[in-house]
Amino acid sequence: MSCAHCVARVEKSLKNVDGVKEVKVDLKSGKAAVKYNPKKVELSKLEEAVKEAGYDVIN
């Protein structure tokens, strides 16, 4: 990610996943903090949302 637009794009993509409660993406570190209900969504769905936004997931 290189700009505020990138952050907004990733945040929006993650927030649109059912079961996600809160998302905060840090541009400087390139990391996302996601609060979600694991009974409603699997981690793989969150990773998929990030990839669909055009970014890679690094664990």
Side-chain angles (χ1 to χ4, degrees):
M1 293 183 291
S2 60
C3 66
H5 176 73
C6 299
V7 169
R9 186 173 179 176
V10 172
E11 285 181 345
K12 181 179 178 183
S13 183
L14 287 166
K15 286 178 182 177
N16 284 333
V17 176
D18 187 41
V20 171
K21 298 176 183 180
E22 185 179 334
V23 178
K24 291 190 180 189
V25 176
D26 182 66
L27 176 61
K28 194 172 192 177
S29 70
K31 295 182 180 181
V34 183
K35 289 185 181 180
Y36 65 98
N37 182 340
K39 293 180 182 179
K40 287 189 172 184
V41 62
E42 294 181 12
L43 186 57
S44 62
K45 290 290 183 187
L46 300 177
E47 292 174 346
E48 185 179 312
V50 172
K51 290 177 183 177
E52 287 179 2
Y55 301 91
D56 293 324
V57 175
I58 301 171
N59 295 329

